[in-house]
Amino acid sequence: MIKPGGKVTINDIARLAGVSKKTVSRVINDSPKVRPATREKVQAVIEAHGYTPHPEARALALRKSYLVAMIYDNPSPQYIVSMQRGILDALEASDLQLVIRPCDRNEDDYFESIRRFIKQQRFYGAILPPSVSEDQELVDMLEENNCRYVRIASVIMDSPLNTVKTHDSEGAEKAAHHIADLGHTRIAHIRGPLAFRSSHERFRGFELGLNEYGIRLDSGLVLEGGYTYETGFDCATQLLAMENRPTAVFCGNDEMAVGAYQAARQAGIRVPEDISIVGYDDTPIASRVWPRLTTVRMPIREMGKAAGQLLLGDPNGNLRRYVSFTPELVVRESTAPPPQDS
Amino acid sequence: MIKPGGKVTINDIARLAGVSKKTVSRVINDSPKVRPATREKVQAVIEAHGYTPHPEARALALRKSYLVAMIYDNPSPQYIVSMQRGILDALEASDLQLVIRPCDRNEDDYFESIRRFIKQQRFYGAILPPSVSEDQELVDMLEENNCRYVRIASVIMDSPLNTVKTHDSEGAEKAAHHIADLGHTRIAHIRGPLAFRSSHERFRGFELGLNEYGIRLDSGLVLEGGYTYETGFDCATQLLAMENRPTAVFCGNDEMAVGAYQAARQAGIRVPEDISIVGYDDTPIASRVWPRLTTVRMPIREMGKAAGQLLLGDPNGNLRRYVSFTPELVVRESTAPPPQDS
DNA sequence: CTGAAAGCGCTTACAG
DNA sequence: CTGAAAGCGCTTACAG
């Protein structure tokens, strides 16, 4: 008899099926060395009792964790949610679960706290979106603790085999081409914080893209924001107050672009008639503001999925492939040719 | 010697400290029955080797899981991220981890898939934000599997001891009072889908609030949306095309309100001069659109924390308190008195 | 193809 | 206050 209220265990199944627990184990683990008749008999008992192996017991016996950690400090909810979905897409076929760990790199015990987390849990592996992915100290700590990891980053910082690369510079280059094509020449850039590699890559790509059209990016028109609405607003306010103000602004992400909308509105400057604004990320807000925002789209969910797959490794063999994503420009209504009289 | 590359175990610590593993266990678990000198000696060895107990082994021996599941189908990224943070706030002091499980109630294997998830993982407990929290079949399944749970919901569906209640009707009532105070009488409501209890509560509270001002909510001006931008747009487009169109619209959430903005814009109707719009939730988009949206704020992160605490129970004793949250109105620029000529 | 023994790293009674 | 034995639910060699 099965203990009332208690879970049925491998022993119960073994007894009920008249085999040893090892045989049950073999059935569970799809070992080929079980006679079909035996397998069926055991399967029937398993199903009849809704048996499912205890994950902690397996983990202990196999010296393996079934938990994947996602460690992140990204400020955009949409980014986080899409990334989580993507990772789960990859984990779906496996029996791994996703444990989340938001953090703040500015907090004092940020590093120690994550170290404890990693040491205690002995994860199957960890996935690091930017900007956590750029923290080499953290990655070193993971390696010290034998925790494999996949970085999502705009540059390859160690092996390409554990990086999902996003070609941020190419996305920014496309934005530059679009703006230049429209005929703009006085062009500003509100970049992200220097602590983010993506911010450098986007800046670099944007500058390159303009250069390809023979346009120089005036360093006086490059301001540093914090990837937030408020900083976008502040930087744009400064730009719009200039004597000879720019006719186009490329913002390092959508949040800052929406802040720039607000700055333009308060200054009585029309988008896109007086000023063109371009964002980056294509988060949902980009198509909910008015005018709808021209921006650069990253397939965030697919990137998460690729990261998950990289972490799992190829089930048939163990070759792991280098994965990279190229962003594309989404043209909407926030960009137009510069005003005639300018 | 400690195996190279291998993790240090309780046995290593016991040997190194010259005590039995049981004594180490007592130190780890803060048992009072250890002589201070012994405790210190053991502590020193633990720290010297950075020992941390294997969570799966503990879980197995204690017949207890250290994993909390968050199961949700809420479509708003901001809501999800805030709720996750709140739950983690509550879990911080414990050694529990948060496993996330987004799902889609419309998918065929939604229920079976979650059932498998629950059976396999034997969670410490589960947290259910709306609208998953309203699925009684799912809750029954959790109980069947001895998985405790906390619901976040706008009505108490079973015991108040495992519900974090949100007074949605009160928030909607406040919205009604605000609109009535401004002098509106032709008032519309774009409600959420009938499958969400919150949608009913908000509708009910709004109607009640208008009645308190002697205003009847015209059922012809109540449309059902899907809590999405697109449905908000569609419903508002219908309302604005009416012969005698409303001068104010209360939308069931911010997403739909922003959709309504867009509909007004396309119809050449100004917000708030020609029509007042009120949302619900105070998600970040509410203060990023123009004009900034008057809406009803829910303290989502605190609600998540309360849910986590309810799940953990009171560490000093085991009384659990009923928790509820009352939303407040946030007045911004999307509401104004009705136009003079109306 | 199948089983009895030993072990994963921890804890809970039970003695002393 | 401390320890030796048994057990949590599973798996891995090792026999047969």
Side-chain angles (χ1 to χ4, degrees):
Chain A
M1 275 294 87
I2 295 157
K3 291 168 279 177
K7 286 295 195 175
V8 0
T9 74
I10 196 172
N11 285 310
D12 299 319
I13 301 299
R15 191 163 27 74
L16 260 24
V19 297
S20 77
K21 56 202 274 199
K22 175 54 199 157
T23 299
V24 177
S25 172
R26 274 190 270 258
V27 171
I28 296 168
N29 293 291
D30 279 322
S31 158
K33 307 184 178 179
V34 183
R35 221 175 348 175
T38 313
R39 176 181 303 281
E40 275 171 37
K41 186 173 58 179
V42 174
Q43 278 291 13
V45 178
I46 287 177
E47 269 151 40
H49 294 268
Y51 167 70
T52 160
H54 192 119
E56 271 94 6
R58 291 189 98 179
L60 184 57
L62 285 167
R63 297 157 196 74
K64 168 189 166 182
S65 166
Y66 285 85
L67 262 26
V68 169
M70 171 175 167
I71 306 173
Y72 55 93
D73 67 342
N74 195 300
S76 159
Q78 182 60 48
Y79 187 96
I80 291 309
V81 164
S82 299
M83 183 65 63
Q84 291 174 347
R85 287 270 184 174
I87 296 171
L88 286 166
D89 287 341
L91 265 40
E92 201 176 354
S94 74
D95 37 13
L96 303 184
Q97 301 297 335
L98 183 60
V99 169
I100 57 169
R101 175 75 186 196
C103 61
D104 181 351
R105 284 174 78 176
N106 297 316
E107 262 177 27
D108 280 351
D109 70 335
Y110 151 76
F111 187 78
E112 264 317 307
S113 159
I114 295 187
R115 180 207 215 91
R116 236 175 299 129
F117 174 67
I118 293 294
K119 288 203 73 146
Q120 273 172 23
Q121 295 302 129
R122 300 152 158 80
F123 290 102
Y124 176 87
I127 293 183
L128 314 174
S131 70
V132 166
S133 62
E134 298 161 4
D135 185 343
Q136 189 58 43
E137 192 187 5
L138 187 132
V139 169
D140 291 343
M141 184 272 280
L142 291 177
E143 272 180 346
E144 234 169 71
N145 286 284
N146 296 310
C147 180
R148 76 190 93 179
Y149 60 87
V150 171
R151 288 168 141 159
I152 295 147
S154 54
V155 286
I156 293 182
M157 304 188 71
D158 45 13
S159 160
L161 297 184
N162 46 31
T163 306
V164 170
K165 181 171 164 170
T166 61
H167 294 284
D168 288 41
S169 64
E170 288 184 33
E173 203 178 341
K174 290 179 183 173
H177 292 172
H178 172 62
I179 290 171
D181 273 334
L182 288 169
H184 294 271
T185 51
R186 271 205 314 293
I187 301 167
H189 177 36
I190 302 179
R191 57 177 301 177
L194 297 176
F196 282 59
R197 283 303 285 262
S198 63
S199 160
H200 291 90
E201 290 301 305
R202 291 173 195 184
F203 169 73
R204 196 170 64 75
F206 188 64
E207 188 169 38
L208 175 67
L210 291 183
N211 289 346
E212 285 159 356
Y213 274 68
I215 300 172
R216 225 186 100 260
L217 180 57
D218 180 351
S219 64
L221 295 181
V222 177
L223 268 48
E224 183 192 346
Y227 276 160
T228 63
Y229 174 84
E230 289 75 16
T231 55
F233 175 82
D234 292 342
C235 292
T237 301
Q238 280 183 54
L239 290 170
L240 297 176
M242 288 178 177
E243 193 78 28
N244 191 15
R245 67 161 190 257
T247 61
V249 187
F250 170 51
C251 301
N253 71 354
D254 290 349
E255 280 285 308
M256 295 200 295
V258 177
Y261 270 47
Q262 181 65 5
R265 226 165 252 130
Q266 292 205 357
I269 294 170
R270 294 166 303 165
V271 179
E273 292 82 353
D274 302 324
I275 190 159
S276 289
I277 297 181
V278 178
Y280 202 109
D281 283 343
D282 196 26
T283 45
I285 200 172
S287 42
R288 281 162 179 49
V289 289
W290 182 255
R292 297 185 312 145
L293 181 68
T294 294
T295 187
V296 178
R297 175 184 295 157
M298 297 291 290
I300 299 172
R301 184 165 177 168
E302 284 95 284
M303 284 159 46
K305 182 170 182 181
Q309 289 171 332
L310 220 45
L311 194 64
L312 288 180
D314 185 343
N316 328 317
N318 41 15
L319 70 162
R320 302 202 299 176
R321 290 193 351 277
Y322 163 59
V323 192
S324 75
F325 288 88
T326 302
E328 54 182 274
L329 186 73
V330 183
V331 178
R332 297 208 181 87
E333 293 89 35
S334 67
T335 44
Q340 293 291 21
D341 61 332
S342 79
Chain B
M1 274 294 88
I2 294 156
K3 291 168 278 177
K7 287 293 192 174
V8 0
T9 73
I10 197 172
N11 286 311
D12 300 318
I13 300 298
R15 190 162 28 71
L16 260 24
V19 298
S20 78
K21 55 201 276 200
K22 176 53 198 158
T23 299
V24 178
S25 173
R26 274 190 270 260
V27 171
I28 297 169
N29 293 291
D30 279 321
S31 158
K33 308 184 180 179
V34 184
R35 223 178 344 179
T38 313
R39 176 183 303 280
E40 274 171 36
K41 187 174 59 181
V42 174
Q43 278 291 11
V45 178
I46 287 178
E47 269 151 39
H49 293 267
Y51 166 70
T52 160
H54 192 119
E56 271 95 6
R58 292 188 97 180
L60 184 57
L62 286 167
R63 296 157 195 76
K64 168 191 165 181
S65 166
Y66 285 84
L67 264 25
V68 169
M70 171 177 166
I71 306 173
Y72 54 93
D73 68 340
N74 194 301
S76 159
Q78 182 61 48
Y79 187 96
I80 290 309
V81 164
S82 299
M83 182 66 59
Q84 290 174 346
R85 287 268 184 172
I87 296 172
L88 286 165
D89 287 341
L91 264 40
E92 202 174 353
S94 74
D95 37 11
L96 303 184
Q97 303 297 335
L98 183 60
V99 169
I100 56 169
R101 175 76 187 196
C103 62
D104 181 351
R105 284 175 77 176
N106 297 317
E107 262 176 26
D108 278 351
D109 70 337
Y110 150 77
F111 187 78
E112 264 318 307
S113 159
I114 295 187
R115 178 206 216 93
R116 236 176 297 128
F117 173 68
I118 292 294
K119 289 203 72 143
Q120 272 171 22
Q121 295 301 129
R122 300 154 161 80
F123 290 102
Y124 175 87
I127 293 183
L128 315 174
S131 71
V132 166
S133 63
E134 299 162 2
D135 185 343
Q136 189 57 43
E137 191 187 6
L138 187 131
V139 169
D140 291 342
M141 184 272 281
L142 291 177
E143 272 180 346
E144 234 169 72
N145 287 283
N146 295 310
C147 180
R148 76 190 95 180
Y149 60 87
V150 172
R151 289 166 141 159
I152 295 147
S154 55
V155 285
I156 294 184
M157 304 187 70
D158 43 15
S159 161
L161 296 184
N162 46 32
T163 305
V164 170
K165 182 172 165 171
T166 61
H167 294 284
D168 288 42
S169 64
E170 288 183 33
E173 202 178 340
K174 290 178 183 175
H177 293 172
H178 172 63
I179 291 172
D181 273 334
L182 288 168
H184 293 271
T185 52
R186 272 205 313 291
I187 302 167
H189 177 38
I190 303 179
R191 57 176 302 173
L194 297 178
F196 283 58
R197 281 304 283 264
S198 64
S199 160
H200 290 91
E201 289 302 305
R202 292 174 193 184
F203 168 73
R204 195 169 65 75
F206 189 63
E207 189 169 38
L208 176 66
L210 291 183
N211 289 347
E212 286 158 355
Y213 274 69
I215 300 172
R216 225 188 100 260
L217 179 58
D218 181 350
S219 65
L221 296 180
V222 177
L223 268 48
E224 182 191 346
Y227 275 159
T228 64
Y229 175 84
E230 289 74 16
T231 54
F233 175 82
D234 292 342
C235 291
T237 301
Q238 279 183 56
L239 290 171
L240 297 175
M242 289 179 177
E243 192 78 29
N244 191 15
R245 68 163 188 257
T247 61
V249 186
F250 171 51
C251 300
N253 72 354
D254 289 350
E255 281 285 309
M256 295 199 296
V258 176
Y261 270 48
Q262 181 64 7
R265 226 165 249 130
Q266 292 205 359
I269 295 171
R270 294 166 303 163
V271 179
E273 292 83 352
D274 301 324
I275 190 159
S276 289
I277 296 181
V278 178
Y280 202 109
D281 282 344
D282 196 26
T283 45
I285 200 170
S287 43
R288 280 162 180 50
V289 289
W290 185 255
R292 297 183 313 145
L293 180 67
T294 294
T295 186
V296 178
R297 176 186 294 156
M298 296 292 290
I300 298 171
R301 184 163 175 170
E302 284 94 286
M303 284 160 44
K305 183 170 182 183
Q309 288 171 333
L310 220 45
L311 194 63
L312 289 179
D314 184 344
N316 330 316
N318 41 18
L319 70 164
R320 302 201 301 175
R321 290 192 354 275
Y322 163 58
V323 193
S324 75
F325 287 87
T326 301
E328 54 182 274
L329 186 73
V330 183
V331 178
R332 297 207 181 87
E333 293 89 34
S334 66
T335 43
Q340 293 292 22
D341 60 332
S342 79

